Amino acid sequence: MIAVLTLGASVYWQLRASLPALEGRIAVRELSAPVTVTRDAQGVPTLSGRSRVDLAWVLGFLHAQERFFQMDGQRRLAAGELSELVGTVALNLDRQHRVHRFRTRAATVLAAVMPEERAMIDAYVGGVNRGLQELDAAPFEYMILRSTPVPWTAEDTILAVYAIYLDLQEDDGAAERQRADAEATLGGPLAAFLFPEGTTWDAPLDGSTLPVPAMPDAGAGTKAGLPLLLKGGGEEAVSRGSNAWTVGGGLSARGTALVANDMHLNLRVPNTWYRARLVLSDESGGTTLDITGVTLPGTPSVVAGSNGKIAWGFTNSYIDTGDVVILEPVAANPDLYRTPAGPRRLDHVEERLCPKGTACEILSIEESLWGPVIAADRQGRKLAYRWIAHDPVAVNLRGMLDLERAVTTGAALDIAHRLGIPHQNLVVGDAQGNIGWTVTSAIPNRFGFDGQLPTSWADGSKGWNGYLAPEDVPVVYNPENRRIWTANSRVVGGEALAKIGFGAYAHGSRARQIRDSLLAKQLFDEQDMLAIQLDDRGVLLERWQALMLERLRANYGNSRYAALIPTVENWGGRAVPDSVGYRLVRTFRTELINAVYAAYTMPMRTGEPTPASARATQPFIPKQADEPVWRLLTERPAHLVPRGYRDWDAVVDAAIEKVLSAVATQAHGRLEAFTWGAANRTEIRHPLAGAIPGLAILLNPPSVAQSGDLYQPRVASPRTGASERFVVAPGHEGTGIFHMPTGQTGHPLAPYYNVGHEDWLRGHATPFLPGEPKWQIVFEPQ
């Protein structure tokens, strides 16, 4: 008992020793003038100083003290070095990421930065390392892992951006490879039908539509026996995304533009973002910059927010930013491949992976003219990946720092095209009421092909001709209806879409629901925007509810079916915790989609190297699966009834049986207990919460039932959701609204740990600006 108490006291002491500093005065030789940091009750800091470089230093200090372990994980994730910290559990992930050699690429990026950009990075790095040194003990996670934190470097700040590329974009050309596999295995007509580029749910800003794939005729079938490499996954795996929209000044109660943004990511403890307000003043005391928003620990700029002149937010664009290149071999030499300039030899690079607690291994990487070799196709030809993230233009800080100071929507749109971040839909509005949208960052300028399928570039007729000129990138500025919306689905069509390409756009249901809500009113304030963000209506499920009810009534003589009718008939139509009807309909739709795609895509999965794995047994569900299945069930082509079913009614009945089975197994047969809240409980975890018994109680917020689902504005699943949520009118930040899960800090003993989480969960309107100061630190030049 004494030993246990001694251990507990030691752990508690180290936890206390690693708490961030909240008050006092700190002398800093790197600063040119004093910087004051005040924190409100939620721990949100306001940094006030004379120089943006000084603020970068202090922001680095704060990030290190609150979030260093998170930052460490991000840089290691991007570099393929995570196993050095956590052991072999991360080794496969390191192998996957090390292929891209991002640490080497980070050094190349740094070598080309402008002096003022490098000064900002170096100041931030200095602040990070001083903040880490000022802790009386290393962050508590290192005590658990029995490791020592490694100082931050300038390359690490670049790696923090690369980590977001890995999170938001494909690093292996999966979409193109899957399209090719589908065509080869299922045949062109069936593949085009099952894997459409969009659906009638699309709600692009220009009102464009896409051709509807034809129903495959009776000759459609599958070609058995071809080995395929697919990433299986259910709906949660393909539905992560974000929402952003804006209305012009004529529709805003503030007279300015009004901007709403909620970026949906995997949720964890601590959160992805770190809130901050940065205030710069001149020698006379006049304010030259006042910006509030979210920052990314590891980097010194504000990612999204408002500076009083403009407000902006992002959604992942899902445009096509990479291409799979077929390497045509030369004779029997596996190292030679054809290029427009003649045969070329693959470069071989050896990377050393050193997982904690075990021996190092050598990872051999093959690199081509067009990028690293990522796989081989079914003919045995090597596949390289030409990805924008490999180019020096992929990362820079200049653009984000310029965006911080932009004063008009037009200026922000111009800056967007020189940002060095993963490609985003930028939604921006200004204090004059102007609004706009565009896609950020450098975009491939393809020639000779559309980027949809793996292609050989050997003869020089296909490839990239640099990047699109800024004037060729689609832009929407002050549309006639004074409304702009994005939700990861297709934003434009026609020639504009051809320029940016088809990546893997999200289903259009969220964008459509947002669009319809924006068109339903002529005047908006912050509360109106928040109401759209919290919209949990299951509009996509309405037709599935009608289908389920029709089939239940047709089988009224079956008492098991009849028992469901009242609940499905009065289902409520909203993804709220106490709704049984919503969960019944949602489960019914999911089971139907799974059944159809499991039957049709089985030949796509039978050739996988590990067919007994969980991945191999999952049906491959594309993002647009809802509409193909709906068409099959309503048009009912007899020749396409999945094997094992008598007819389409049997397919629907089998889905209802799966629903009844779910009630029996997941709710012990009690229909009233089969609520949406029982299925949609938050599971937001610290990555080390399971390392020590009882630690989860200290680190993790409670698991609670929540509203929302994947195909409506209020995106919510157990592990994904809004990583931030705000509504703000530039110049009227005092009436803005802000939500963020899990709070500011990663330290469980901090007085504001998880403060604000409940407001995020329940959707309570909380202020965009930091509240009254509660703690203060002054950083003084030494």
Side-chain angles (χ1 to χ4, degrees), residues 150-172:
V150 177
W152 197 256
T153 68
E155 286 84 0
D156 294 333
T157 289
I158 308 302
L159 285 168
V161 181
Y162 282 134
I164 304 301
Y165 271 96
L166 290 169
D167 191 33
L168 298 181
Q169 295 187 8
E170 292 180 352
D171 67 342
D172 59 0

Side-chain angles (χ1 to χ4, degrees), residues 544 546-552 554-555 561 587-589 591-593 595-596 629-630 632-634 636 641-642 645-659:
W544 297 95
L547 175 64
M548 185 179 187
L549 188 59
E550 176 187 355
R551 195 62 196 155
L552 289 172
N555 289 275
Y561 282 33
T587 306
F588 170 72
R589 172 188 171 276
E591 293 296 345
L592 274 173
I593 291 174
V596 170
V629 175
W630 180 256
L632 289 168
L633 291 170
T634 52
R636 298 188 167 230
V641 173
Y645 297 95
R646 178 187 69 256
D647 53 23
W648 287 106
D649 282 342
V651 177
V652 178
D653 289 347
I656 293 176
E657 289 294 334
K658 287 285 187 70
V659 173

Side-chain angles (χ1 to χ4, degrees), residues 587-628:
T587 306
F588 170 72
R589 172 188 171 276
T590 298
E591 293 296 345
L592 274 173
I593 291 174
N594 285 349
V596 170
Y597 275 86
Y600 287 163
T601 66
M602 181 60 70
M604 299 177 65
R605 294 175 285 122
T606 54
E608 289 191 345
T610 53
S613 69
R615 183 183 74 170
T617 60
Q618 291 179 327
F620 173 58
I621 309 297
K623 294 180 179 181
Q624 314 294 344
D626 182 273
E627 189 144 304

Side-chain angles (χ1 to χ4, degrees), residues 101 109 123 128 179 193 229 368 401 416 432 514 565 567 570 619:
R101 303 182 66 222
V109 169
V128 170
R179 287 189 194 104
F193 179 81
L229 295 171
S368 74
L401 294 170
Q432 288 72 47
I514 293 165
I565 290 176
T567 306
N570 301 292

Side-chain angles (χ1 to χ4, degrees), residues 66 167 220 262 281 295 357 471 502 524 546 564 670 685 693 697 734:
E66 305 269 23
D167 191 33
D262 39 306
S281 58
T295 66
E471 59 269 22
F502 284 94
F524 298 86
L564 298 180
R670 297 171 55 240
R685 304 288 182 255
I697 297 174

